[in-house]
Amino acid sequence: MDSFHSSFPTITFFFISLLLVSTIAKDSVEHLSFSTTISSEEYMHGYKLGKEMETHLHFYFHDTITGSKPTAVRVAQGPNTSTSATGFGLVMIMDDPLTEGPEPSSKLIGRAQGMYSMASQEEVGLLVVMNLAFFEGEFNGSSLSVLGRNTVFSETREMPVLGGTGRFRYARGYAVAKNHDLDLVTGNAIVEYNVHVLHH
Ligand SMILES: *[C@@H]1O[C@H](CO)[C@@H](O)[C@H](O)[C@H]1NC(C)=O
Ligand SMILES: *[C@@H]1O[C@H](CO)[C@@H](O)[C@H](O)[C@H]1NC(C)=O
């Protein structure tokens, strides 16, 4: 009896709090075409945000290695890279456009600048070291640094975001890559990215 009576106000309070939190969350969500930022005292993906914000970025990465205007070039290779089925030892430098939509003509929102190397003898597995430099909206001039493993034939690949600059100071998070269009003849790829970062 007593426990029913004492738990009733707690439940009511719980629902009022829920309502309040959802109102705050709605008010503080900011929408850019390729990004969504949430800032409130909320739990997102199991983290208490406190003064931090969580931003979700969605864009397409275009890696062009053939043709007259490649955006990624071979700079080094190992002694047996040319006969390795996984390209082991190959090192590429990229300056790849990031766009809002999947078409190469879609709006440019940034560039992925850095390198990737073939670091696996068992499968096509890249070591990726890159900065994502953004040119659009509130993130113009800000960047994120990514370091991770990318097995390009896997359905999805996850790479850690280790830091950032500008609006992304103190950033940490993860990037999920998924092939949108991988041309096995040319090696050119369009990859969909979903990046989640906590930052100040
Ligand atoms: C490269 O391949 C040759 C021939 O298979 C082999 O003898 C040599 O040890 C390989 N070198 C390296 C560095 O793996
Ligand atoms: C981004 O910032 C640069 C340098 O401040 C400026 O020249 C450019 O117009 C800005 N781009 C956008 C889309 O706001």
Side-chain angles (χ1 to χ4, degrees), residues 22-55:
S22 54
T23 314
I24 293 167
K26 206 165 147 196
D27 285 344
S28 56
V29 168
E30 223 175 293
H31 273 286
L32 266 185
S33 45
F34 72 102
S35 67
T36 310
T37 298
I38 297 166
S39 57
S40 73
E41 299 273 335
E42 247 195 311
Y43 284 92
M44 286 289 294
H45 300 268
Y47 292 101
K48 186 158 199 309
L49 293 177
K51 287 197 180 112
E52 291 188 300
M53 296 172 223
E54 171 162 338
T55 293

mmCIF file of all heavy atoms in Angstrom, residues 22-55:
data_model
loop_
_atom_site.group_PDB
_atom_site.id
_atom_site.type_symbol
_atom_site.label_atom_id
_atom_site.label_comp_id
_atom_site.label_asym_id
_atom_site.label_seq_id
_atom_site.Cartn_x
_atom_site.Cartn_y
_atom_site.Cartn_z
ATOM 1 N N SER A 22 12.543 16.679 -23.493
ATOM 2 C CA SER A 22 12.296 16.632 -24.937
ATOM 3 C C SER A 22 12.060 18.031 -25.502
ATOM 4 O O SER A 22 12.408 18.301 -26.640
ATOM 5 C CB SER A 22 11.141 15.694 -25.274
ATOM 6 O OG SER A 22 10.017 16.046 -24.535
ATOM 7 N N THR A 23 11.512 18.930 -24.689
ATOM 8 C CA THR A 23 11.317 20.313 -25.148
ATOM 9 C C THR A 23 12.663 21.010 -25.310
ATOM 10 O O THR A 23 12.920 21.641 -26.323
ATOM 11 C CB THR A 23 10.480 21.117 -24.122
ATOM 12 O OG1 THR A 23 9.383 20.316 -23.739
ATOM 13 C CG2 THR A 23 9.991 22.422 -24.713
ATOM 14 N N ILE A 24 13.544 20.832 -24.302
ATOM 15 C CA ILE A 24 14.876 21.449 -24.363
ATOM 16 C C ILE A 24 15.613 20.933 -25.591
ATOM 17 O O ILE A 24 16.171 21.688 -26.364
ATOM 18 C CB ILE A 24 15.698 21.121 -23.087
ATOM 19 C CG1 ILE A 24 15.073 21.803 -21.870
ATOM 20 C CG2 ILE A 24 17.159 21.546 -23.263
ATOM 21 C CD1 ILE A 24 15.613 21.311 -20.550
ATOM 22 N N ALA A 25 15.555 19.594 -25.783
ATOM 23 C CA ALA A 25 16.284 18.979 -26.888
ATOM 24 C C ALA A 25 15.818 19.559 -28.215
ATOM 25 O O ALA A 25 16.619 19.881 -29.072
ATOM 26 C CB ALA A 25 16.085 17.478 -26.878
ATOM 27 N N LYS A 26 14.536 19.729 -28.349
ATOM 28 C CA LYS A 26 13.968 20.241 -29.596
ATOM 29 C C LYS A 26 14.454 21.674 -29.873
ATOM 30 O O LYS A 26 14.834 22.004 -30.983
ATOM 31 C CB LYS A 26 12.441 20.237 -29.465
ATOM 32 C CG LYS A 26 11.713 20.142 -30.797
ATOM 33 C CD LYS A 26 10.292 19.778 -30.510
ATOM 34 C CE LYS A 26 9.291 20.348 -31.440
ATOM 35 N NZ LYS A 26 7.950 20.268 -30.878
ATOM 36 N N ASP A 27 14.496 22.458 -28.790
ATOM 37 C CA ASP A 27 14.890 23.858 -28.942
ATOM 38 C C ASP A 27 16.367 24.015 -29.312
ATOM 39 O O ASP A 27 16.738 24.981 -29.949
ATOM 40 C CB ASP A 27 14.635 24.618 -27.636
ATOM 41 C CG ASP A 27 13.152 24.881 -27.482
ATOM 42 O OD1 ASP A 27 12.409 24.751 -28.479
ATOM 43 O OD2 ASP A 27 12.742 25.184 -26.360
ATOM 44 N N SER A 28 17.196 23.078 -28.857
ATOM 45 C CA SER A 28 18.627 23.277 -29.057
ATOM 46 C C SER A 28 19.187 22.494 -30.249
ATOM 47 O O SER A 28 20.375 22.488 -30.467
ATOM 48 C CB SER A 28 19.374 22.917 -27.783
ATOM 49 O OG SER A 28 19.052 21.607 -27.420
ATOM 50 N N VAL A 29 18.325 21.839 -30.998
ATOM 51 C CA VAL A 29 18.806 21.136 -32.188
ATOM 52 C C VAL A 29 19.007 22.149 -33.309
ATOM 53 O O VAL A 29 18.145 22.956 -33.593
ATOM 54 C CB VAL A 29 17.814 20.036 -32.650
ATOM 55 C CG1 VAL A 29 18.192 19.523 -34.041
ATOM 56 C CG2 VAL A 29 17.798 18.885 -31.680
ATOM 57 N N GLU A 30 20.197 22.098 -33.900
ATOM 58 C CA GLU A 30 20.528 23.040 -34.958
ATOM 59 C C GLU A 30 20.671 22.244 -36.249
ATOM 60 O O GLU A 30 21.339 21.221 -36.278
ATOM 61 C CB GLU A 30 21.878 23.663 -34.617
ATOM 62 C CG GLU A 30 21.953 25.144 -34.854
ATOM 63 C CD GLU A 30 23.291 25.640 -34.373
ATOM 64 O OE1 GLU A 30 23.522 25.600 -33.151
ATOM 65 O OE2 GLU A 30 24.078 26.007 -35.221
ATOM 66 N N HIS A 31 20.054 22.721 -37.320
ATOM 67 C CA HIS A 31 20.124 21.976 -38.570
ATOM 68 C C HIS A 31 20.879 22.715 -39.650
ATOM 69 O O HIS A 31 20.538 23.816 -40.025
ATOM 70 C CB HIS A 31 18.716 21.670 -39.097
ATOM 71 C CG HIS A 31 18.165 20.407 -38.537
ATOM 72 N ND1 HIS A 31 18.610 19.179 -38.949
ATOM 73 C CD2 HIS A 31 17.230 20.173 -37.593
ATOM 74 C CE1 HIS A 31 17.966 18.249 -38.275
ATOM 75 N NE2 HIS A 31 17.129 18.821 -37.441
ATOM 76 N N LEU A 32 21.957 22.092 -40.121
ATOM 77 C CA LEU A 32 22.617 22.531 -41.343
ATOM 78 C C LEU A 32 22.321 21.395 -42.310
ATOM 79 O O LEU A 32 21.999 20.311 -41.889
ATOM 80 C CB LEU A 32 24.122 22.629 -41.116
ATOM 81 C CG LEU A 32 24.680 23.983 -40.725
ATOM 82 C CD1 LEU A 32 26.180 23.898 -40.681
ATOM 83 C CD2 LEU A 32 24.254 25.060 -41.723
ATOM 84 N N SER A 33 22.496 21.650 -43.589
ATOM 85 C CA SER A 33 22.161 20.615 -44.564
ATOM 86 C C SER A 33 22.866 19.297 -44.285
ATOM 87 O O SER A 33 22.273 18.244 -44.397
ATOM 88 C CB SER A 33 22.498 21.119 -45.955
ATOM 89 O OG SER A 33 23.776 21.720 -45.924
ATOM 90 N N PHE A 34 24.152 19.354 -43.887
ATOM 91 C CA PHE A 34 24.888 18.094 -43.706
ATOM 92 C C PHE A 34 25.188 17.787 -42.250
ATOM 93 O O PHE A 34 25.871 16.836 -41.947
ATOM 94 C CB PHE A 34 26.188 18.114 -44.527
ATOM 95 C CG PHE A 34 27.247 19.046 -43.974
ATOM 96 C CD1 PHE A 34 28.315 18.555 -43.264
ATOM 97 C CD2 PHE A 34 27.153 20.403 -44.186
ATOM 98 C CE1 PHE A 34 29.282 19.410 -42.747
ATOM 99 C CE2 PHE A 34 28.107 21.262 -43.674
ATOM 100 C CZ PHE A 34 29.167 20.769 -42.961
ATOM 101 N N SER A 35 24.675 18.617 -41.315
ATOM 102 C CA SER A 35 25.016 18.374 -39.914
ATOM 103 C C SER A 35 23.860 18.667 -38.977
ATOM 104 O O SER A 35 23.002 19.491 -39.265
ATOM 105 C CB SER A 35 26.202 19.257 -39.529
ATOM 106 O OG SER A 35 25.811 20.613 -39.552
ATOM 107 N N THR A 36 23.851 17.969 -37.851
ATOM 108 C CA THR A 36 22.870 18.232 -36.809
ATOM 109 C C THR A 36 23.611 18.301 -35.486
ATOM 110 O O THR A 36 24.359 17.382 -35.155
ATOM 111 C CB THR A 36 21.839 17.078 -36.722
ATOM 112 O OG1 THR A 36 21.356 16.831 -38.027
ATOM 113 C CG2 THR A 36 20.696 17.427 -35.792
ATOM 114 N N THR A 37 23.431 19.392 -34.731
ATOM 115 C CA THR A 37 24.095 19.534 -33.440
ATOM 116 C C THR A 37 23.054 19.554 -32.329
ATOM 117 O O THR A 37 22.049 20.235 -32.442
ATOM 118 C CB THR A 37 24.923 20.839 -33.400
ATOM 119 O OG1 THR A 37 25.918 20.773 -34.403
ATOM 120 C CG2 THR A 37 25.604 21.020 -32.044
ATOM 121 N N ILE A 38 23.318 18.777 -31.288
ATOM 122 C CA ILE A 38 22.409 18.752 -30.148
ATOM 123 C C ILE A 38 23.192 19.213 -28.931
ATOM 124 O O ILE A 38 24.283 18.706 -28.669
ATOM 125 C CB ILE A 38 21.883 17.324 -29.910
ATOM 126 C CG1 ILE A 38 21.066 16.855 -31.107
ATOM 127 C CG2 ILE A 38 21.045 17.264 -28.641
ATOM 128 C CD1 ILE A 38 20.793 15.378 -31.097
ATOM 129 N N SER A 39 22.676 20.219 -28.223
ATOM 130 C CA SER A 39 23.355 20.648 -27.010
ATOM 131 C C SER A 39 22.343 20.759 -25.888
ATOM 132 O O SER A 39 21.478 21.607 -25.919
ATOM 133 C CB SER A 39 24.030 21.994 -27.232
ATOM 134 O OG SER A 39 23.077 22.940 -27.643
ATOM 135 N N SER A 40 22.424 19.882 -24.945
ATOM 136 C CA SER A 40 21.562 19.957 -23.767
ATOM 137 C C SER A 40 22.071 18.945 -22.763
ATOM 138 O O SER A 40 22.960 18.168 -23.041
ATOM 139 C CB SER A 40 20.119 19.655 -24.140
ATOM 140 O OG SER A 40 19.973 18.284 -24.410
ATOM 141 N N GLU A 41 21.490 18.996 -21.578
ATOM 142 C CA GLU A 41 21.890 18.074 -20.522
ATOM 143 C C GLU A 41 21.216 16.735 -20.784
ATOM 144 O O GLU A 41 20.344 16.309 -20.046
ATOM 145 C CB GLU A 41 21.457 18.628 -19.153
ATOM 146 C CG GLU A 41 22.074 19.962 -18.816
ATOM 147 C CD GLU A 41 23.442 19.811 -18.135
ATOM 148 O OE1 GLU A 41 23.680 18.765 -17.521
ATOM 149 O OE2 GLU A 41 24.251 20.736 -18.266
ATOM 150 N N GLU A 42 21.619 16.131 -21.836
ATOM 151 C CA GLU A 42 20.951 14.916 -22.260
ATOM 152 C C GLU A 42 21.918 13.758 -22.370
ATOM 153 O O GLU A 42 23.100 13.961 -22.570
ATOM 154 C CB GLU A 42 20.385 15.142 -23.660
ATOM 155 C CG GLU A 42 18.894 15.158 -23.718
ATOM 156 C CD GLU A 42 18.473 15.021 -25.161
ATOM 157 O OE1 GLU A 42 18.998 15.753 -26.009
ATOM 158 O OE2 GLU A 42 17.650 14.153 -25.412
ATOM 159 N N TYR A 43 21.383 12.568 -22.346
ATOM 160 C CA TYR A 43 22.209 11.415 -22.611
ATOM 161 C C TYR A 43 22.084 11.060 -24.086
ATOM 162 O O TYR A 43 20.982 10.907 -24.593
ATOM 163 C CB TYR A 43 21.748 10.214 -21.780
ATOM 164 C CG TYR A 43 22.163 10.302 -20.345
ATOM 165 C CD1 TYR A 43 21.331 10.877 -19.390
ATOM 166 C CD2 TYR A 43 23.396 9.807 -19.946
ATOM 167 C CE1 TYR A 43 21.720 10.959 -18.066
ATOM 168 C CE2 TYR A 43 23.793 9.880 -18.624
ATOM 169 C CZ TYR A 43 22.949 10.459 -17.688
ATOM 170 O OH TYR A 43 23.337 10.521 -16.398
ATOM 171 N N MET A 44 23.213 10.992 -24.754
ATOM 172 C CA MET A 44 23.206 10.583 -26.153
ATOM 173 C C MET A 44 24.170 9.423 -26.278
ATOM 174 O O MET A 44 25.299 9.511 -25.835
ATOM 175 C CB MET A 44 23.700 11.720 -27.055
ATOM 176 C CG MET A 44 22.713 12.832 -27.223
ATOM 177 S SD MET A 44 21.304 12.345 -28.227
ATOM 178 C CE MET A 44 22.100 12.083 -29.810
ATOM 179 N N HIS A 45 23.745 8.367 -26.867
ATOM 180 C CA HIS A 45 24.599 7.199 -27.084
ATOM 181 C C HIS A 45 25.295 6.797 -25.787
ATOM 182 O O HIS A 45 26.458 6.410 -25.789
ATOM 183 C CB HIS A 45 25.643 7.470 -28.166
ATOM 184 C CG HIS A 45 25.022 7.814 -29.484
ATOM 185 N ND1 HIS A 45 24.757 6.873 -30.432
ATOM 186 C CD2 HIS A 45 24.577 8.984 -29.983
ATOM 187 C CE1 HIS A 45 24.196 7.465 -31.471
ATOM 188 N NE2 HIS A 45 24.065 8.741 -31.219
ATOM 189 N N GLY A 46 24.584 6.937 -24.659
ATOM 190 C CA GLY A 46 25.133 6.495 -23.391
ATOM 191 C C GLY A 46 26.056 7.491 -22.709
ATOM 192 O O GLY A 46 26.548 7.236 -21.638
ATOM 193 N N TYR A 47 26.323 8.656 -23.298
ATOM 194 C CA TYR A 47 27.187 9.644 -22.673
ATOM 195 C C TYR A 47 26.354 10.795 -22.136
ATOM 196 O O TYR A 47 25.431 11.242 -22.788
ATOM 197 C CB TYR A 47 28.182 10.234 -23.680
ATOM 198 C CG TYR A 47 29.210 9.266 -24.162
ATOM 199 C CD1 TYR A 47 29.076 8.651 -25.402
ATOM 200 C CD2 TYR A 47 30.319 8.952 -23.374
ATOM 201 C CE1 TYR A 47 30.029 7.742 -25.848
ATOM 202 C CE2 TYR A 47 31.267 8.052 -23.820
ATOM 203 C CZ TYR A 47 31.121 7.456 -25.052
ATOM 204 O OH TYR A 47 32.049 6.573 -25.496
ATOM 205 N N LYS A 48 26.733 11.289 -20.947
ATOM 206 C CA LYS A 48 26.090 12.496 -20.474
ATOM 207 C C LYS A 48 26.837 13.660 -21.112
ATOM 208 O O LYS A 48 28.056 13.772 -21.011
ATOM 209 C CB LYS A 48 26.170 12.599 -18.950
ATOM 210 C CG LYS A 48 25.388 13.770 -18.416
ATOM 211 C CD LYS A 48 25.045 13.553 -16.957
ATOM 212 C CE LYS A 48 23.909 14.450 -16.526
ATOM 213 N NZ LYS A 48 24.069 15.854 -16.849
ATOM 214 N N LEU A 49 26.109 14.510 -21.806
ATOM 215 C CA LEU A 49 26.783 15.550 -22.582
ATOM 216 C C LEU A 49 27.284 16.695 -21.716
ATOM 217 O O LEU A 49 28.330 17.247 -21.964
ATOM 218 C CB LEU A 49 25.840 16.093 -23.662
ATOM 219 C CG LEU A 49 25.501 15.086 -24.757
ATOM 220 C CD1 LEU A 49 24.509 15.699 -25.726
ATOM 221 C CD2 LEU A 49 26.742 14.675 -25.512
ATOM 222 N N GLY A 50 26.529 17.068 -20.666
ATOM 223 C CA GLY A 50 26.943 18.205 -19.857
ATOM 224 C C GLY A 50 27.082 19.426 -20.726
ATOM 225 O O GLY A 50 26.178 19.780 -21.464
ATOM 226 N N LYS A 51 28.275 20.051 -20.712
ATOM 227 C CA LYS A 51 28.499 21.244 -21.524
ATOM 228 C C LYS A 51 28.903 20.883 -22.954
ATOM 229 O O LYS A 51 29.134 21.747 -23.778
ATOM 230 C CB LYS A 51 29.593 22.101 -20.898
ATOM 231 C CG LYS A 51 29.115 22.821 -19.633
ATOM 232 C CD LYS A 51 30.071 23.950 -19.288
ATOM 233 C CE LYS A 51 29.604 24.675 -18.042
ATOM 234 N NZ LYS A 51 30.502 24.455 -16.907
ATOM 235 N N GLU A 52 29.046 19.583 -23.219
ATOM 236 C CA GLU A 52 29.453 19.174 -24.560
ATOM 237 C C GLU A 52 28.255 19.126 -25.491
ATOM 238 O O GLU A 52 27.109 19.121 -25.062
ATOM 239 C CB GLU A 52 30.087 17.783 -24.509
ATOM 240 C CG GLU A 52 31.418 17.763 -23.813
ATOM 241 C CD GLU A 52 32.078 16.409 -23.961
ATOM 242 O OE1 GLU A 52 31.473 15.421 -23.510
ATOM 243 O OE2 GLU A 52 33.173 16.347 -24.528
ATOM 244 N N MET A 53 28.566 19.108 -26.765
ATOM 245 C CA MET A 53 27.528 18.970 -27.784
ATOM 246 C C MET A 53 27.838 17.734 -28.582
ATOM 247 O O MET A 53 28.990 17.319 -28.656
ATOM 248 C CB MET A 53 27.584 20.148 -28.749
ATOM 249 C CG MET A 53 27.288 21.469 -28.128
ATOM 250 S SD MET A 53 27.646 22.718 -29.356
ATOM 251 C CE MET A 53 28.481 23.869 -28.319
ATOM 252 N N GLU A 54 26.813 17.183 -29.174
ATOM 253 C CA GLU A 54 27.067 16.098 -30.108
ATOM 254 C C GLU A 54 26.661 16.569 -31.489
ATOM 255 O O GLU A 54 25.567 17.093 -31.673
ATOM 256 C CB GLU A 54 26.274 14.839 -29.747
ATOM 257 C CG GLU A 54 26.411 13.817 -30.871
ATOM 258 C CD GLU A 54 26.065 12.383 -30.515
ATOM 259 O OE1 GLU A 54 26.096 12.042 -29.321
ATOM 260 O OE2 GLU A 54 25.775 11.627 -31.442
ATOM 261 N N THR A 55 27.560 16.397 -32.447
ATOM 262 C CA THR A 55 27.240 16.740 -33.829
ATOM 263 C C THR A 55 27.300 15.494 -34.697
ATOM 264 O O THR A 55 28.223 14.682 -34.562
ATOM 265 C CB THR A 55 28.190 17.836 -34.366
ATOM 266 O OG1 THR A 55 27.928 19.048 -33.657
ATOM 267 C CG2 THR A 55 27.958 18.099 -35.858
#
